[in-house]
Amino acid sequence: AQSVTQPDIHITVSEGASLELRCNYSYGATPYLFWYVQSPGQGLQLLLKYFSGDTLVQGIKGFEAEFKRSQSSFNLRKPSVHWSDAAEYFCAVGERGSYIPTFGRGTSLIVHP
Amino acid sequence: EPEVTQTPSHQVTQMGQEVILRCVPISNHLYFYWYRQILGQKVEFLVSFYNNEISEKSEIFDDQFSVERPDGSNFTLKIRSTKLEDSAMYFCASSEPRATDTQYFGPGTRLTVL
């Protein structure tokens, strides 16, 4: 069965700084990969997804993620963080043939002014 | 922008009682899902529903759970006899005609079992 590890429970950055949230997965084949964001009181919103093709994926709100098969990673990046990016971020993996994601525990992003 | 809605936002119930959590998916979506998130833990898949039947379910989705699309707009999750460990945030999601399409999540219902 697939699994996802998000090693950072909390990340604190200053507004305007760059951001990288780590995600490692365990799966025998090439997985489907997702990043979701959850703002307080809101549901999960899909930021981006990787199914196949270009390993650098562009998402909404200026986010991107890169699939690195050799490292079993799918890290999320943003060049300049805004205060409104403060939220919980979830990485998820899905197995081929099923689009049901298995979620990581999440990383809480705190943005200082 | 269309969105998934869920009611109630917070439900408190006594152990052993039945609860029904309601969701209104986006109108042209055909795939529906329930997930739960116990406080401090991962979001976990419960069940997916397509063409008026369950298409996938997890080990969590045992006989105490059931889902239904009673009319053309609502999608419900029923927990027959609630247990303390059912306390969690329950999220509904829906996606367009292909299962590969993006799942849109509702804001969740917080269920507290006393």
Side-chain angles (χ1 to χ4, degrees):
Chain A
Q2 66 269 29
S3 65
V4 178
T5 301
Q6 292 180 250
D8 303 304
I9 298 174
H10 302 284
I11 290 275
T12 301
V13 298
S14 297
E15 192 170 14
S18 63
L19 171 71
E20 182 169 29
L21 301 183
R22 296 184 291 166
C23 172
N24 292 97
Y25 68 89
S26 173
Y27 182 63
T30 301
Y32 299 134
L33 294 160
F34 310 84
W35 273 101
Y36 287 85
V37 61
Q38 183 182 26
S39 299
Q42 304 291 314
L44 296 161
Q45 182 182 27
L46 183 69
L47 287 175
L48 46 79
K49 62 187 178 186
Y50 170 79
F51 282 177
S52 64
D54 192 345
T55 56
L56 184 62
V57 181
Q58 301 297 320
I60 62 171
K61 305 186 180 189
F63 286 93
E64 66 177 27
E66 187 171 11
F67 169 54
K68 292 186 176 180
R69 186 192 306 274
S70 62
Q71 298 176 19
S72 297
S73 69
F74 190 58
N75 294 348
L76 182 71
R77 300 192 294 249
K78 187 170 184 177
S80 178
V81 169
H82 188 261
W83 64 266
S84 60
D85 293 324
E88 190 85 13
Y89 290 80
F90 295 92
C91 181
V93 61
E95 64 181 73
R96 297 274 155 173
S98 167
Y99 305 99
I100 306 301
T102 296
F103 287 85
R105 288 189 178 275
T107 297
S108 178
L109 175 64
I110 300 163
V111 181
H112 281 314
Chain B
E1 184 178 325
E3 58 183 21
V4 176
T5 60
Q6 291 185 242
T7 55
S9 57
H10 191 186
Q11 173 93 44
V12 180
T13 190
Q14 296 291 323
M15 190 170 55
Q17 295 296 304
E18 175 183 285
V19 295
I20 297 176
L21 310 183
R22 291 183 168 78
C23 169
V24 179
I26 295 172
S27 62
N28 65 329
H29 286 188
L30 298 181
Y31 287 84
F32 313 112
Y33 311 84
W34 283 102
Y35 295 82
R36 78 172 185 191
Q37 184 182 27
I38 296 171
L39 188 63
Q41 299 188 23
K42 302 179 183 185
V43 175
E44 301 171 292
F45 166 72
L46 292 177
V47 65
S48 62
F49 191 85
Y50 170 71
N51 200 25
N52 282 320
E53 60 184 27
I54 291 172
S55 49
E56 282 189 71
K57 62 181 181 178
S58 72
E59 292 175 353
I60 303 168
F61 193 86
D62 61 22
D63 291 343
Q64 69 162 155
F65 292 94
S66 61
V67 289
E68 193 179 29
R69 189 155 162 81
D71 53 44
S73 59
N74 290 284
F75 179 51
T76 62
L77 174 69
K78 182 191 290 186
I79 309 175
R80 252 179 283 280
S81 177
T82 51
K83 298 177 276 196
L84 295 176
E85 53 265 38
D86 294 327
S87 295
M89 182 73 89
Y90 288 82
F91 294 104
C92 173
S94 67
S95 64
E96 291 179 341
R98 297 174 305 170
T100 54
D101 286 323
T102 299
Q103 292 185 29
Y104 292 84
F105 283 76
T109 292
R110 178 161 296 287
L111 175 65
T112 302
V113 182
L114 303 176

